[in-house]
Coordinates of all heavy atoms in Angstrom, one line a residue:
G40 N -21.3 17.4 79.2 CA -19.9 17.0 79.2 C -19.5 16.3 80.5 O -20.3 16.1 81.4
E41 N -18.3 15.9 80.6 CA -17.8 15.2 81.8 C -17.9 16.0 83.0 O -18.1 15.4 84.1 CB -16.3 14.8 81.5 CG -16.2 13.7 80.5 CD -14.7 13.3 80.3 OE1 -13.9 13.7 81.2 OE2 -14.4 12.6 79.4
K42 N -17.9 17.3 82.9 CA -17.9 18.2 84.1 C -19.3 18.9 84.2 O -19.4 19.9 84.9 CB -16.8 19.2 84.0 CG -15.4 18.6 84.1 CD -14.4 19.7 84.0 CE -13.0 19.0 84.0 NZ -11.9 20.0 83.9
G43 N -20.3 18.5 83.4 CA -21.6 19.1 83.5 C -22.0 19.7 82.2 O -21.3 19.5 81.1
L44 N -23.0 20.6 82.2 CA -23.5 21.2 81.0 C -22.6 22.4 80.6 O -22.0 23.1 81.4 CB -24.9 21.8 81.3 CG -26.0 20.8 81.5 CD1 -27.3 21.5 82.0 CD2 -26.3 19.9 80.3
F45 N -22.5 22.5 79.3 CA -21.8 23.7 78.7 C -22.5 24.0 77.3 O -23.3 23.2 76.9 CB -20.3 23.4 78.5 CG -19.9 22.4 77.5 CD1 -19.7 22.7 76.2 CD2 -19.9 21.0 77.8 CE1 -19.3 21.8 75.2 CE2 -19.5 20.1 76.9 CZ -19.2 20.4 75.6
I46 N -22.1 25.2 76.8 CA -22.7 25.6 75.5 C -21.7 25.5 74.4 O -20.5 25.7 74.6 CB -23.4 26.9 75.6 CG1 -22.4 28.0 75.8 CG2 -24.5 27.0 76.6 CD1 -22.9 29.4 75.6
A47 N -22.2 25.3 73.2 CA -21.4 25.4 72.0 C -22.1 26.3 71.0 O -23.2 26.2 70.7 CB -21.2 24.0 71.3
M48 N -21.4 27.3 70.6 CA -21.9 28.3 69.7 C -22.2 27.8 68.3 O -21.6 26.7 68.0 CB -21.0 29.5 69.7 CG -20.8 30.2 71.0 SD -22.3 30.8 71.8 CE -22.7 32.2 70.8
P49 N -23.1 28.4 67.5 CA -23.3 27.9 66.2 C -22.1 27.9 65.4 O -21.2 28.8 65.4 CB -24.3 29.0 65.6 CG -24.4 30.1 66.6 CD -23.7 29.7 67.8
S50 N -22.0 26.8 64.6 CA -20.7 26.6 63.8 C -21.1 26.1 62.4 O -22.2 25.6 62.2 CB -19.8 25.6 64.5 OG -20.4 24.4 64.7
K51 N -20.1 26.1 61.5 CA -20.3 25.8 60.2 C -19.0 25.0 59.8 O -17.9 25.4 60.1 CB -20.4 27.0 59.3 CG -20.7 26.8 57.9 CD -20.9 28.2 57.2 CE -21.1 28.0 55.7 NZ -21.3 29.3 55.1
K52 N -19.2 23.9 59.0 CA -18.0 23.1 58.5 C -17.4 23.8 57.3 O -18.1 24.2 56.4 CB -18.5 21.7 58.2 CG -17.3 20.8 58.0 CD -17.8 19.3 57.9 CE -16.7 18.4 57.9 NZ -17.1 17.0 57.8
H53 N -16.1 24.0 57.4 CA -15.4 24.6 56.3 C -14.0 24.0 56.2 O -13.2 23.9 57.1 CB -15.2 26.1 56.6 CG -14.4 26.9 55.5 ND1 -15.0 27.1 54.3 CD2 -13.2 27.4 55.5 CE1 -14.1 27.8 53.6 NE2 -13.0 27.9 54.3
A54 N -13.7 23.4 55.0 CA -12.5 22.8 54.7 C -12.2 21.7 55.7 O -11.1 21.5 56.2 CB -11.3 23.8 54.7
G55 N -13.2 20.9 56.1 CA -13.0 19.8 57.0 C -13.0 20.1 58.5 O -12.9 19.1 59.3
T56 N -13.1 21.3 58.9 CA -13.1 21.7 60.3 C -14.3 22.5 60.6 O -14.9 23.2 59.6 CB -11.8 22.4 60.7 OG1 -11.8 23.7 60.0 CG2 -10.6 21.6 60.5
F57 N -14.8 22.6 61.8 CA -15.9 23.4 62.2 C -15.4 24.7 62.8 O -14.4 24.8 63.5 CB -16.7 22.7 63.3 CG -17.6 21.6 62.7 CD1 -17.1 20.3 62.7 CD2 -18.8 21.9 62.2 CE1 -17.9 19.3 62.2 CE2 -19.6 20.9 61.7 CZ -19.2 19.6 61.6
R58 N -16.0 25.8 62.4 CA -15.7 27.1 62.8 C -16.9 27.8 63.3 O -18.0 27.7 62.7 CB -15.1 28.0 61.6 CG -13.8 27.4 61.2 CD -13.2 28.3 60.1 NE -13.2 29.7 60.6 CZ -12.2 30.5 60.5 NH1 -11.1 30.1 59.9 NH2 -12.3 31.8 60.9
D59 N -16.8 28.5 64.5 CA -17.9 29.2 65.0 C -18.4 30.3 64.0 O -17.5 31.0 63.5 CB -17.6 29.8 66.4 CG -17.5 28.8 67.5 OD1 -17.9 27.7 67.3 OD2 -16.9 29.2 68.6
V60 N -19.7 30.4 63.9 CA -20.3 31.5 63.1 C -20.3 32.8 63.9 O -20.1 33.8 63.4 CB -21.7 31.0 62.6 CG1 -22.3 32.2 61.8 CG2 -21.6 29.8 61.7
A61 N -20.7 32.6 65.2 CA -20.8 33.7 66.1 C -20.3 33.2 67.4 O -20.6 32.1 67.8 CB -22.2 34.3 66.2
H62 N -19.6 34.1 68.2 CA -19.1 33.6 69.5 C -18.6 34.8 70.3 O -18.3 35.8 69.8 CB -17.9 32.6 69.3 CG -16.7 33.2 68.6 ND1 -15.7 33.9 69.2 CD2 -16.4 33.3 67.3 CE1 -14.8 34.3 68.3 NE2 -15.3 33.9 67.1
P63 N -18.7 34.6 71.6 CA -18.2 35.7 72.5 C -16.6 35.8 72.3 O -16.0 34.8 72.1 CB -18.5 35.2 73.9 CG -19.5 34.1 73.7 CD -19.3 33.5 72.4
V64 N -16.1 37.0 72.5 CA -14.7 37.2 72.3 C -13.9 37.3 73.6 O -12.7 37.4 73.6 CB -14.3 38.3 71.4 CG1 -14.9 38.1 69.9 CG2 -14.9 39.7 71.9
D65 N -14.6 37.3 74.7 CA -13.9 37.4 76.0 C -14.6 36.4 77.0 O -15.8 36.0 76.8 CB -13.9 38.8 76.6 CG -15.2 39.4 76.8 OD1 -16.1 38.8 77.5 OD2 -15.5 40.5 76.3
P66 N -13.9 36.0 78.0 CA -14.4 35.1 79.0 C -15.7 35.6 79.8 O -16.6 34.8 80.1 CB -13.3 34.8 80.0 CG -12.1 35.3 79.3 CD -12.5 36.3 78.3
E67 N -15.7 36.8 80.0 CA -16.9 37.4 80.8 C -18.2 37.2 79.9 O -19.2 36.8 80.5 CB -16.7 38.8 81.1 CG -15.6 39.1 82.1 CD -14.2 39.1 81.5 OE1 -14.1 39.3 80.3 OE2 -13.2 38.9 82.3
T68 N -18.1 37.5 78.7 CA -19.3 37.4 77.8 C -19.7 36.0 77.6 O -20.8 35.6 77.6 CB -19.0 38.1 76.5 OG1 -18.6 39.4 76.7 CG2 -20.3 38.1 75.6
R69 N -18.7 35.1 77.5 CA -19.0 33.6 77.3 C -19.7 33.1 78.6 O -20.6 32.4 78.5 CB -17.7 32.8 77.1 CG -18.0 31.3 77.1 CD -16.8 30.5 76.6 NE -16.9 30.0 75.3 CZ -17.9 29.3 74.7 NH1 -19.0 29.2 75.4 NH2 -17.9 28.8 73.5
S70 N -19.2 33.6 79.7 CA -19.8 33.2 81.0 C -21.3 33.7 81.1 O -22.1 32.9 81.6 CB -19.0 33.8 82.2 OG -18.7 32.8 83.1

Side-chain angles (χ1 to χ4, degrees):
E41 291 180 11
K42 297 179 182 178
L44 295 172
F45 66 94
I46 64 168
M48 297 304 286
S50 60
K51 183 177 177 181
K52 193 171 188 176
H53 179 72
T56 62
F57 285 94
R58 295 184 51 134
D59 286 347
V60 174
H62 60 89
V64 295
D65 61 53
E67 293 82 18
T68 305
R69 176 167 256 310
S70 231

